[in-house]
Amino acid sequence: MSNRISLTRYLVEKQRLDDHIPGQLRLLLEVVARACKTISHAVNKGALGGVLGSAGSENVQGEVQKKLDIIANEVLIEANEWGGHLAAMASEEMNNIYLIPNRYPRGEYLLLIDPLDGSSNIDVNVSIGTIFSVLRMPEGDRGVEENDFLQPGKCQVAAGYCVYGPQTTLVLTVGDGVAMFTLDREMGSFVLTQDAVQIPADTREFAINMSNMRHWDAPVKRYIDECLAGKDGPRAKDFNMRWVASMVADVHRIMTRGGIFMYPWDKREPNKPGKLRLMYEANPMAWLIEQAGGAATNGRERIMDVQPTQLHERVSVILGSRNEVDRVTQYHLEAGSAT
Ligand code: P6P
């Protein structure tokens, strides 16, 4: 019998020891974990499940939706809408917020999701994942509006992701560190495989889409040029590069062994602050990274201090090993960059 503790026991013991996890929040996290198990099962079927390929539609971002994008979104909605823990949901795959139907009790939390991040990798069997962020519904005996979601990342009460790779691993924070749970498929439950995750402050590994180099702002180009110069350059050490093109996979590598991940603003769409979404990609990942001792900025300020103005707004993302992120931020400050 495994001596590892289950996600349920972890959450029950946290609820007993401190007030980080009120009952409704514990239920929310267990329901999301159960939905991730269902999504993992669908992802693992691949071609055998008829779930690969495009759904023939576009999401609010104008991106082609994969069948699994829509399946994952539906799984998360159906799993969460009846439990009485949510006031509403927001998703990368839905233009508007999703209000809990009147036939179900309304709860005190707002759930924001990227149901299946990295979906361009689905059909080529590369790791993808689900990202989620939890906010409290503001006080007031009234209906839920989109503005209720527009809270900075520092207001999150829980955040996490589930990476569907060689293992299915759920990574979670409720504000007192980061824990990792691996899906035990024989038992059908997530079991604690790492607690108190810590990211090394230094790294030799950077993650960025190098094909965008000609579009970058000067501080980013300066940082990457120095990494490429290796031990012959000002950094006096060689670097390695990784780019999975699934934020969940790249962030999980950083949570596991350190590194810096960058999807910075670039000149291709000068009026957009970046590619990645603030509310349900950058904010949850930023909190996890900070809770593990790393840093997460948009080049100028903490991502979690950014005051959202739109539900699907984008942001420049630089996160990971603290000393490397601080260096990039310093280069922006020196350049007086306005990105
Ligand atoms: P590119 C996936 O579509 C995503 O939103 C992130 O998961 C990933 O880091 C990034 O976009 C990849 O973007 O431009 O390299 O394909």
Side-chain angles (χ1 to χ4, degrees):
M1 185 67 182
S2 164
N3 59 358
R4 296 185 186 282
I5 70 165
S6 69
L7 172 66
T8 299
R9 179 175 167 185
Y10 177 88
L11 294 174
V12 165
E13 291 180 346
K14 263 212 181 301
Q15 186 181 4
R16 189 183 303 144
L17 292 174
D18 59 33
D19 60 359
H20 272 91
I21 307 185
Q24 271 196 23
L25 181 58
R26 178 163 70 84
L27 172 60
L28 186 161
L29 295 171
E30 291 198 276
V31 166
V32 169
R34 202 172 306 126
C36 289
K37 275 195 288 188
T38 305
I39 295 167
S40 173
H41 182 72
V43 166
N44 288 166
K45 277 187 177 288
L48 300 178
V51 295
L52 299 183
S54 166
S57 52
E58 288 188 350
N59 65 15
V60 62
Q61 330 285 346
E63 295 166 335
V64 172
Q65 287 180 305
K66 300 283 191 178
K67 289 176 189 168
L68 271 171
D69 283 322
I70 294 174
I71 291 168
N73 192 59
E74 288 169 354
V75 165
L76 282 155
I77 288 174
E78 287 163 15
N80 279 283
E81 64 179 350
W82 50 267
H85 51 278
L86 286 189
M89 290 177 70
S91 167
E92 181 188 61
E93 301 304 332
M94 299 186 299
N95 191 22
N96 303 314
I97 62 173
Y98 179 83
L99 301 176
I100 299 304
N102 293 331
R103 64 183 179 278
Y104 298 129
R106 192 180 109 169
E108 59 186 281
Y109 293 103
L110 301 173
L111 177 63
L112 300 98
I113 54 175
D114 181 354
L116 207 56
D117 173 66
S119 44
S120 62
N121 282 323
I122 293 172
D123 297 350
V124 295
N125 199 11
V126 169
S127 298
I128 49 184
T130 297
I131 309 173
F132 62 92
S133 171
V134 184
L135 296 167
R136 276 199 184 79
M137 172 65 192
E139 295 294 326
D141 184 18
R142 55 176 174 75
V144 183
E145 299 164 357
E146 183 171 298
N147 284 340
D148 294 318
F149 284 83
L150 302 185
Q151 303 175 39
K154 60 193 170 190
C155 295
Q156 293 174 101
V157 293
Y161 63 81
C162 191
V163 53
Y164 311 118
Q167 304 97 43
T168 289
T169 302
L170 180 75
V171 181
L172 174 67
T173 187
V174 291
D176 61 344
V178 176
M180 293 187 178
F181 303 84
T182 302
L183 180 60
D184 177 340
R185 292 192 185 280
E186 290 168 18
M187 301 296 290
S189 58
F190 282 103
V191 294
L192 182 67
T193 43
Q194 191 172 348
D195 202 354
V197 174
Q198 281 299 304
I199 299 172
D202 295 300
T203 183
R204 291 170 179 262
E205 198 158 66
F206 67 90
I208 195 167
N209 183 332
M210 292 293 287
S211 69
N212 299 327
M213 180 179 276
R214 65 188 184 283
H215 305 303
W216 297 335
D217 213 357
V220 170
K221 183 114 180 22
R222 174 184 173 190
Y223 175 77
I224 296 296
D225 283 345
E226 290 180 357
C227 290
L228 295 175
K231 60 180 182 298
D232 304 327
R235 302 302 308 277
K237 63 179 182 179
D238 287 341
F239 281 76
N240 191 23
M241 196 212 93
R242 287 285 183 275
W243 188 249
V244 182
S246 278
M247 185 185 197
V248 173
D250 282 313
V251 169
H252 191 67
R253 185 187 58 254
I254 291 169
M255 295 297 285
T256 307
R257 68 183 190 210
I260 182 170
F261 170 94
M262 303 169 77
Y263 212 114
W265 170 92
D266 69 44
K267 303 182 179 74
R268 287 175 295 171
E269 297 195 85
N271 299 324
K272 286 183 181 173
K275 169 178 183 180
L276 302 181
R277 292 77 175 182
L278 173 63
M279 299 304 295
Y280 38 79
E281 288 179 335
N283 272 338
M285 292 310 204
W287 199 23
L288 287 161
I289 290 285
E290 288 196 3
Q291 282 289 311
T297 80
N298 63 4
R300 191 182 60 241
E301 64 177 309
R302 251 179 110 216
I303 283 175
M304 293 210 294
D305 287 339
V306 173
Q307 175 56 53
T309 56
Q310 294 171 32
L311 185 61
H312 298 290
E313 78 181 62
R314 299 166 185 265
V315 69
S316 180
V317 177
I318 297 155
L319 58 77
S321 293
R322 175 169 293 281
N323 292 343
E324 294 300 315
V325 174
D326 289 350
R327 177 182 290 267
V328 179
T329 305
Q330 181 57 32
Y331 289 0
H332 278 82
L333 294 174
E334 288 170 8
S337 167
T339 54

PDB file of all heavy atoms in Angstrom, residues 11-34:
ATOM      1  N   LEU A  11      -5.678  18.183   1.264  1.00  0.00           N
ATOM      2  CA  LEU A  11      -6.560  19.352   1.393  1.00  0.00           C
ATOM      3  C   LEU A  11      -7.306  19.339   2.732  1.00  0.00           C
ATOM      4  O   LEU A  11      -7.447  20.373   3.390  1.00  0.00           O
ATOM      5  CB  LEU A  11      -7.551  19.383   0.228  1.00  0.00           C
ATOM      6  CG  LEU A  11      -6.940  19.618  -1.166  1.00  0.00           C
ATOM      7  CD1 LEU A  11      -8.018  19.485  -2.241  1.00  0.00           C
ATOM      8  CD2 LEU A  11      -6.256  20.975  -1.257  1.00  0.00           C
ATOM      9  N   VAL A  12      -7.740  18.161   3.170  1.00  0.00           N
ATOM     10  CA  VAL A  12      -8.445  18.067   4.469  1.00  0.00           C
ATOM     11  C   VAL A  12      -7.505  18.478   5.605  1.00  0.00           C
ATOM     12  O   VAL A  12      -7.861  19.263   6.484  1.00  0.00           O
ATOM     13  CB  VAL A  12      -8.965  16.633   4.689  1.00  0.00           C
ATOM     14  CG1 VAL A  12      -9.355  16.414   6.141  1.00  0.00           C
ATOM     15  CG2 VAL A  12     -10.136  16.340   3.761  1.00  0.00           C
ATOM     16  N   GLU A  13      -6.257  18.009   5.536  1.00  0.00           N
ATOM     17  CA  GLU A  13      -5.306  18.350   6.611  1.00  0.00           C
ATOM     18  C   GLU A  13      -4.932  19.826   6.566  1.00  0.00           C
ATOM     19  O   GLU A  13      -4.777  20.468   7.605  1.00  0.00           O
ATOM     20  CB  GLU A  13      -4.075  17.445   6.518  1.00  0.00           C
ATOM     21  CG  GLU A  13      -4.398  16.004   6.887  1.00  0.00           C
ATOM     22  CD  GLU A  13      -3.199  15.060   6.810  1.00  0.00           C
ATOM     23  OE1 GLU A  13      -2.162  15.449   6.222  1.00  0.00           O
ATOM     24  OE2 GLU A  13      -3.309  13.925   7.319  1.00  0.00           O
ATOM     25  N   LYS A  14      -4.863  20.392   5.366  1.00  0.00           N
ATOM     26  CA  LYS A  14      -4.586  21.842   5.284  1.00  0.00           C
ATOM     27  C   LYS A  14      -5.769  22.624   5.835  1.00  0.00           C
ATOM     28  O   LYS A  14      -5.602  23.621   6.542  1.00  0.00           O
ATOM     29  CB  LYS A  14      -4.346  22.229   3.827  1.00  0.00           C
ATOM     30  CG  LYS A  14      -2.871  22.284   3.477  1.00  0.00           C
ATOM     31  CD  LYS A  14      -2.577  23.311   2.441  1.00  0.00           C
ATOM     32  CE  LYS A  14      -1.090  23.288   2.132  1.00  0.00           C
ATOM     33  NZ  LYS A  14      -0.263  23.554   3.325  1.00  0.00           N
ATOM     34  N   GLN A  15      -6.951  22.151   5.529  1.00  0.00           N
ATOM     35  CA  GLN A  15      -8.163  22.850   5.999  1.00  0.00           C
ATOM     36  C   GLN A  15      -8.190  22.819   7.539  1.00  0.00           C
ATOM     37  O   GLN A  15      -8.559  23.800   8.188  1.00  0.00           O
ATOM     38  CB  GLN A  15      -9.400  22.146   5.435  1.00  0.00           C
ATOM     39  CG  GLN A  15     -10.703  22.852   5.714  1.00  0.00           C
ATOM     40  CD  GLN A  15     -11.890  22.074   5.137  1.00  0.00           C
ATOM     41  OE1 GLN A  15     -11.727  20.982   4.590  1.00  0.00           O
ATOM     42  NE2 GLN A  15     -13.059  22.627   5.253  1.00  0.00           N
ATOM     43  N   ARG A  16      -7.734  21.689   8.104  1.00  0.00           N
ATOM     44  CA  ARG A  16      -7.774  21.538   9.573  1.00  0.00           C
ATOM     45  C   ARG A  16      -6.692  22.402  10.224  1.00  0.00           C
ATOM     46  O   ARG A  16      -6.882  22.999  11.271  1.00  0.00           O
ATOM     47  CB  ARG A  16      -7.552  20.059   9.921  1.00  0.00           C
ATOM     48  CG  ARG A  16      -7.781  19.688  11.372  1.00  0.00           C
ATOM     49  CD  ARG A  16      -7.456  18.226  11.613  1.00  0.00           C
ATOM     50  NE  ARG A  16      -8.233  17.343  10.740  1.00  0.00           N
ATOM     51  CZ  ARG A  16      -7.743  16.211  10.211  1.00  0.00           C
ATOM     52  NH1 ARG A  16      -6.490  15.875  10.403  1.00  0.00           N
ATOM     53  NH2 ARG A  16      -8.499  15.438   9.470  1.00  0.00           N
ATOM     54  N   LEU A  17      -5.537  22.493   9.531  1.00  0.00           N
ATOM     55  CA  LEU A  17      -4.386  23.172  10.158  1.00  0.00           C
ATOM     56  C   LEU A  17      -4.445  24.695  10.029  1.00  0.00           C
ATOM     57  O   LEU A  17      -3.904  25.424  10.820  1.00  0.00           O
ATOM     58  CB  LEU A  17      -3.077  22.658   9.524  1.00  0.00           C
ATOM     59  CG  LEU A  17      -2.731  21.192   9.831  1.00  0.00           C
ATOM     60  CD1 LEU A  17      -1.504  20.773   9.032  1.00  0.00           C
ATOM     61  CD2 LEU A  17      -2.525  21.015  11.330  1.00  0.00           C
ATOM     62  N   ASP A  18      -5.033  25.169   8.937  1.00  0.00           N
ATOM     63  CA  ASP A  18      -5.055  26.634   8.790  1.00  0.00           C
ATOM     64  C   ASP A  18      -6.266  26.999   7.938  1.00  0.00           C
ATOM     65  O   ASP A  18      -6.940  26.151   7.409  1.00  0.00           O
ATOM     66  CB  ASP A  18      -3.743  27.125   8.139  1.00  0.00           C
ATOM     67  CG  ASP A  18      -3.560  26.467   6.768  1.00  0.00           C
ATOM     68  OD1 ASP A  18      -4.587  26.217   6.100  1.00  0.00           O
ATOM     69  OD2 ASP A  18      -2.436  26.169   6.389  1.00  0.00           O
ATOM     70  N   ASP A  19      -6.508  28.295   7.805  1.00  0.00           N
ATOM     71  CA  ASP A  19      -7.755  28.683   7.109  1.00  0.00           C
ATOM     72  C   ASP A  19      -7.492  28.967   5.634  1.00  0.00           C
ATOM     73  O   ASP A  19      -8.245  29.687   4.988  1.00  0.00           O
ATOM     74  CB  ASP A  19      -8.361  29.931   7.771  1.00  0.00           C
ATOM     75  CG  ASP A  19      -7.377  31.101   7.720  1.00  0.00           C
ATOM     76  OD1 ASP A  19      -6.247  30.891   7.196  1.00  0.00           O
ATOM     77  OD2 ASP A  19      -7.717  32.186   8.190  1.00  0.00           O
ATOM     78  N   HIS A  20      -6.420  28.362   5.100  1.00  0.00           N
ATOM     79  CA  HIS A  20      -6.138  28.604   3.674  1.00  0.00           C
ATOM     80  C   HIS A  20      -7.209  27.983   2.783  1.00  0.00           C
ATOM     81  O   HIS A  20      -7.385  28.369   1.650  1.00  0.00           O
ATOM     82  CB  HIS A  20      -4.778  28.008   3.280  1.00  0.00           C
ATOM     83  CG  HIS A  20      -3.643  28.952   3.510  1.00  0.00           C
ATOM     84  ND1 HIS A  20      -2.945  28.986   4.692  1.00  0.00           N
ATOM     85  CD2 HIS A  20      -3.125  29.916   2.744  1.00  0.00           C
ATOM     86  CE1 HIS A  20      -2.014  29.919   4.611  1.00  0.00           C
ATOM     87  NE2 HIS A  20      -2.101  30.495   3.452  1.00  0.00           N
ATOM     88  N   ILE A  21      -7.881  26.952   3.341  1.00  0.00           N
ATOM     89  CA  ILE A  21      -8.802  26.235   2.457  1.00  0.00           C
ATOM     90  C   ILE A  21     -10.166  26.060   3.113  1.00  0.00           C
ATOM     91  O   ILE A  21     -10.458  25.025   3.728  1.00  0.00           O
ATOM     92  CB  ILE A  21      -8.254  24.833   2.105  1.00  0.00           C
ATOM     93  CG1 ILE A  21      -6.828  24.934   1.543  1.00  0.00           C
ATOM     94  CG2 ILE A  21      -9.156  24.161   1.084  1.00  0.00           C
ATOM     95  CD1 ILE A  21      -6.276  23.616   1.078  1.00  0.00           C
ATOM     96  N   PRO A  22     -11.028  27.090   2.993  1.00  0.00           N
ATOM     97  CA  PRO A  22     -12.412  26.920   3.483  1.00  0.00           C
ATOM     98  C   PRO A  22     -13.068  25.747   2.731  1.00  0.00           C
ATOM     99  O   PRO A  22     -12.612  25.358   1.662  1.00  0.00           O
ATOM    100  CB  PRO A  22     -13.079  28.240   3.118  1.00  0.00           C
ATOM    101  CG  PRO A  22     -11.963  29.212   2.897  1.00  0.00           C
ATOM    102  CD  PRO A  22     -10.798  28.405   2.408  1.00  0.00           C
ATOM    103  N   GLY A  23     -14.149  25.237   3.271  1.00  0.00           N
ATOM    104  CA  GLY A  23     -14.797  24.049   2.718  1.00  0.00           C
ATOM    105  C   GLY A  23     -15.131  24.152   1.245  1.00  0.00           C
ATOM    106  O   GLY A  23     -14.841  23.260   0.458  1.00  0.00           O
ATOM    107  N   GLN A  24     -15.726  25.306   0.843  1.00  0.00           N
ATOM    108  CA  GLN A  24     -16.113  25.462  -0.558  1.00  0.00           C
ATOM    109  C   GLN A  24     -14.883  25.444  -1.471  1.00  0.00           C
ATOM    110  O   GLN A  24     -14.929  24.922  -2.577  1.00  0.00           O
ATOM    111  CB  GLN A  24     -16.863  26.791  -0.756  1.00  0.00           C
ATOM    112  CG  GLN A  24     -18.366  26.712  -0.550  1.00  0.00           C
ATOM    113  CD  GLN A  24     -19.069  27.936  -1.146  1.00  0.00           C
ATOM    114  OE1 GLN A  24     -18.534  28.603  -2.056  1.00  0.00           O
ATOM    115  NE2 GLN A  24     -20.245  28.237  -0.640  1.00  0.00           N
ATOM    116  N   LEU A  25     -13.777  25.986  -0.981  1.00  0.00           N
ATOM    117  CA  LEU A  25     -12.568  26.014  -1.820  1.00  0.00           C
ATOM    118  C   LEU A  25     -11.999  24.611  -1.945  1.00  0.00           C
ATOM    119  O   LEU A  25     -11.554  24.205  -3.021  1.00  0.00           O
ATOM    120  CB  LEU A  25     -11.531  26.978  -1.237  1.00  0.00           C
ATOM    121  CG  LEU A  25     -10.231  27.126  -2.028  1.00  0.00           C
ATOM    122  CD1 LEU A  25     -10.512  27.586  -3.463  1.00  0.00           C
ATOM    123  CD2 LEU A  25      -9.274  28.104  -1.330  1.00  0.00           C
ATOM    124  N   ARG A  26     -12.059  23.843  -0.858  1.00  0.00           N
ATOM    125  CA  ARG A  26     -11.582  22.462  -0.934  1.00  0.00           C
ATOM    126  C   ARG A  26     -12.412  21.680  -1.949  1.00  0.00           C
ATOM    127  O   ARG A  26     -11.878  20.967  -2.791  1.00  0.00           O
ATOM    128  CB  ARG A  26     -11.653  21.764   0.431  1.00  0.00           C
ATOM    129  CG  ARG A  26     -11.207  20.321   0.359  1.00  0.00           C
ATOM    130  CD  ARG A  26     -10.870  19.755   1.729  1.00  0.00           C
ATOM    131  NE  ARG A  26     -12.023  19.572   2.575  1.00  0.00           N
ATOM    132  CZ  ARG A  26     -12.812  18.488   2.543  1.00  0.00           C
ATOM    133  NH1 ARG A  26     -12.588  17.540   1.642  1.00  0.00           N
ATOM    134  NH2 ARG A  26     -13.814  18.352   3.388  1.00  0.00           N
ATOM    135  N   LEU A  27     -13.717  21.880  -1.907  1.00  0.00           N
ATOM    136  CA  LEU A  27     -14.586  21.186  -2.870  1.00  0.00           C
ATOM    137  C   LEU A  27     -14.221  21.614  -4.294  1.00  0.00           C
ATOM    138  O   LEU A  27     -14.058  20.775  -5.189  1.00  0.00           O
ATOM    139  CB  LEU A  27     -16.050  21.513  -2.585  1.00  0.00           C
ATOM    140  CG  LEU A  27     -17.069  21.006  -3.620  1.00  0.00           C
ATOM    141  CD1 LEU A  27     -17.012  19.479  -3.740  1.00  0.00           C
ATOM    142  CD2 LEU A  27     -18.474  21.477  -3.276  1.00  0.00           C
ATOM    143  N   LEU A  28     -14.016  22.923  -4.502  1.00  0.00           N
ATOM    144  CA  LEU A  28     -13.658  23.436  -5.832  1.00  0.00           C
ATOM    145  C   LEU A  28     -12.397  22.745  -6.346  1.00  0.00           C
ATOM    146  O   LEU A  28     -12.344  22.242  -7.479  1.00  0.00           O
ATOM    147  CB  LEU A  28     -13.443  24.950  -5.736  1.00  0.00           C
ATOM    148  CG  LEU A  28     -13.203  25.732  -7.028  1.00  0.00           C
ATOM    149  CD1 LEU A  28     -13.476  27.219  -6.796  1.00  0.00           C
ATOM    150  CD2 LEU A  28     -11.806  25.571  -7.575  1.00  0.00           C
ATOM    151  N   LEU A  29     -11.374  22.664  -5.495  1.00  0.00           N
ATOM    152  CA  LEU A  29     -10.091  22.095  -5.938  1.00  0.00           C
ATOM    153  C   LEU A  29     -10.222  20.601  -6.232  1.00  0.00           C
ATOM    154  O   LEU A  29      -9.638  20.086  -7.197  1.00  0.00           O
ATOM    155  CB  LEU A  29      -9.016  22.359  -4.891  1.00  0.00           C
ATOM    156  CG  LEU A  29      -8.678  23.849  -4.700  1.00  0.00           C
ATOM    157  CD1 LEU A  29      -7.764  24.044  -3.501  1.00  0.00           C
ATOM    158  CD2 LEU A  29      -8.065  24.443  -5.961  1.00  0.00           C
ATOM    159  N   GLU A  30     -11.015  19.905  -5.444  1.00  0.00           N
ATOM    160  CA  GLU A  30     -11.204  18.471  -5.708  1.00  0.00           C
ATOM    161  C   GLU A  30     -11.995  18.257  -6.995  1.00  0.00           C
ATOM    162  O   GLU A  30     -11.706  17.341  -7.770  1.00  0.00           O
ATOM    163  CB  GLU A  30     -11.905  17.818  -4.514  1.00  0.00           C
ATOM    164  CG  GLU A  30     -11.015  17.756  -3.285  1.00  0.00           C
ATOM    165  CD  GLU A  30     -11.518  16.748  -2.269  1.00  0.00           C
ATOM    166  OE1 GLU A  30     -12.398  17.130  -1.471  1.00  0.00           O
ATOM    167  OE2 GLU A  30     -11.047  15.611  -2.279  1.00  0.00           O
ATOM    168  N   VAL A  31     -12.959  19.128  -7.255  1.00  0.00           N
ATOM    169  CA  VAL A  31     -13.769  19.001  -8.476  1.00  0.00           C
ATOM    170  C   VAL A  31     -12.913  19.295  -9.706  1.00  0.00           C
ATOM    171  O   VAL A  31     -12.958  18.579 -10.709  1.00  0.00           O
ATOM    172  CB  VAL A  31     -14.991  19.946  -8.419  1.00  0.00           C
ATOM    173  CG1 VAL A  31     -15.635  20.097  -9.787  1.00  0.00           C
ATOM    174  CG2 VAL A  31     -16.013  19.444  -7.406  1.00  0.00           C
ATOM    175  N   VAL A  32     -12.074  20.329  -9.609  1.00  0.00           N
ATOM    176  CA  VAL A  32     -11.173  20.651 -10.738  1.00  0.00           C
ATOM    177  C   VAL A  32     -10.207  19.494 -10.978  1.00  0.00           C
ATOM    178  O   VAL A  32      -9.977  19.091 -12.118  1.00  0.00           O
ATOM    179  CB  VAL A  32     -10.409  21.969 -10.478  1.00  0.00           C
ATOM    180  CG1 VAL A  32      -9.278  22.165 -11.499  1.00  0.00           C
ATOM    181  CG2 VAL A  32     -11.370  23.158 -10.531  1.00  0.00           C
ATOM    182  N   ALA A  33      -9.686  18.911  -9.900  1.00  0.00           N
ATOM    183  CA  ALA A  33      -8.754  17.776 -10.050  1.00  0.00           C
ATOM    184  C   ALA A  33      -9.457  16.598 -10.725  1.00  0.00           C
ATOM    185  O   ALA A  33      -8.901  15.963 -11.636  1.00  0.00           O
ATOM    186  CB  ALA A  33      -8.223  17.361  -8.685  1.00  0.00           C
ATOM    187  N   ARG A  34     -10.704  16.355 -10.339  1.00  0.00           N
ATOM    188  CA  ARG A  34     -11.453  15.244 -10.939  1.00  0.00           C
ATOM    189  C   ARG A  34     -11.699  15.523 -12.431  1.00  0.00           C
ATOM    190  O   ARG A  34     -11.561  14.635 -13.277  1.00  0.00           O
ATOM    191  CB  ARG A  34     -12.795  15.067 -10.200  1.00  0.00           C
ATOM    192  CG  ARG A  34     -13.403  13.673 -10.359  1.00  0.00           C
ATOM    193  CD  ARG A  34     -14.616  13.508  -9.463  1.00  0.00           C
ATOM    194  NE  ARG A  34     -14.312  13.828  -8.068  1.00  0.00           N
ATOM    195  CZ  ARG A  34     -14.994  14.707  -7.332  1.00  0.00           C
ATOM    196  NH1 ARG A  34     -16.006  15.372  -7.863  1.00  0.00           N
ATOM    197  NH2 ARG A  34     -14.665  14.945  -6.082  1.00  0.00           N
TER     198      ARG A  34
END
